Amino acid sequence: MVRSSRTLLWPPVAFSLSAEQVRHAYARVRASLIADSLFIQDAARYGVTVDELDRRMRQPPDRLDSKASWDWLDGPDQYRWAALRVLVEAYPPADRHELSGRIVVPGDAIHVVAADVRVDGDLVLEEQAVLFVLGKLQVTGALVGRPGYSVAAGREIECANGATAGDVLVLDGIRCLGAFYFGDNDYSARAASYDGGVLVDFERENAFGRVDVRKRVTDWDFPAAARALGLPDDEDDLLDAYTAKLLGEQNGT
């Protein structure tokens, strides 16, 4: 078990892959994966094909920290969601990490941890940060993807509040008791279920199997979205403003 009581950067540890292990895991889950509605429901719209998925899974990178990693995970978010399913099968969680404070995941890097992770505080992904938690990711504070693109993925994800313009990819459920704002982006959040308080995702085409929330903003109405997030009606940049609010920052810095 890893414990920390100070604010820190996510540890920069390369995650090695066994091509044989990945291929065997894919063979075990392939039939259910390619029939899963989270993979196929909008596949045609984004040019996602089973042939391309098969190709990627035949040729995984040696480790998830190189340019080959970005090539393996690039493109529509369905491929990253499928990779998460395969990695969870190939490397089931065998540990639990407990961190406290504000944890920052550095950008321009891919981080994978085969464990359950609990952050007693905030989890902040810098721009172009990719984090795969192969167990449950629990954040007692805010889960934030800095304005720009990032990926937070896990078997389950739970947080108090959230804000991102990037991917949130989950095999099972997302649970957010407060408010989560998914800002405008060409990609989507993808999860079997979403439970919580306020869900603001009218700018996206998120793929959720089941949604059970107190309030969901679905109309293209920025003032209504701002009010739902506790911001002024005339706020110009909802993502910057809500991120700053969650992290206690001034003027989005």
Side-chain angles (χ1 to χ4, degrees):
M1 179 180 292
V2 176
R3 292 181 180 272
S4 173
S5 59
R6 60 188 177 86
T7 301
L8 48 74
L9 294 177
W10 196 270
V13 178
F15 191 83
S16 297
L17 292 182
S18 159
E20 182 178 14
Q21 201 164 337
V22 169
R23 286 194 289 265
H24 286 171
Y26 181 54
R28 292 194 296 273
V29 303
R30 183 182 183 277
S32 61
L33 193 162
I34 64 176
D36 195 304
S37 62
L38 289 177
F39 181 75
I40 64 175
Q41 70 182 44
D42 49 5
R45 180 187 307 171
Y46 297 109
V48 174
T49 67
V50 173
D51 285 347
E52 172 61 14
L53 179 63
D54 287 344
R55 184 195 69 79
R56 294 184 187 214
M57 293 303 154
R58 285 195 302 267
Q59 302 171 350
D62 293 332
R63 57 183 188 174
L64 289 175
D65 70 342
S66 63
K67 182 180 184 300
S69 305
W70 295 102
D71 293 341
W72 196 55
L73 299 172
D74 195 17
D77 53 88
Q78 288 94 328
Y79 292 125
R80 289 181 289 284
W81 183 86
L84 172 65
R85 176 71 181 88
V86 173
L87 289 173
V88 167
E89 177 71 21
Y91 302 95
D95 202 353
R96 178 179 173 85
H97 295 185
E98 296 187 3
L99 307 171
S100 62
R102 179 163 295 167
I103 308 303
V104 177
V105 184
D108 298 311
I110 296 173
H111 310 266
V112 182
V113 55
D116 293 325
V117 175
R118 184 180 189 276
V119 176
D120 187 9
D122 301 322
L123 180 63
V124 180
L125 284 76
E126 297 290 356
E127 189 170 355
Q128 298 293 325
V130 177
L131 173 64
F132 278 76
V133 173
L134 305 187
K136 178 179 180 179
L137 172 60
Q138 181 182 20
V139 182
T140 65
L143 172 60
V144 170
R146 287 288 189 185
Y149 182 68
S150 63
V151 179
R155 192 189 70 229
E156 301 175 59
I157 290 183
E158 180 179 312
C159 62
N161 297 284
T164 187
D167 290 346
V168 178
L169 306 173
V170 183
L171 299 182
D172 297 329
I174 299 171
R175 180 173 175 80
C176 178
L177 297 178
F180 207 124
Y181 175 47
F182 292 91
D184 187 23
N185 197 287
D186 291 335
Y187 300 102
S188 301
R190 201 165 290 269
S193 64
Y194 185 103
D195 294 272
V198 177
L199 172 59
V200 180
D201 65 341
F202 67 100
E203 299 172 86
R204 312 262 297 251
E205 294 186 359
N206 289 334
F208 298 135
R210 175 185 60 78
V211 176
D212 185 2
V213 295
R214 177 169 51 83
K215 179 180 179 64
R216 186 175 189 180
V217 178
T218 57
D219 293 333
W220 198 267
D221 186 336
F222 283 93
R227 288 192 296 273
L229 297 171
L231 298 171
D233 285 12
D234 59 352
E235 179 57 58
D236 290 334
D237 191 327
L238 290 185
L239 187 57
D240 271 333
Y242 189 52
T243 296
K245 176 183 177 181
L246 291 182
L247 300 180
E249 300 171 340
Q250 296 296 321
N251 299 321
T253 60

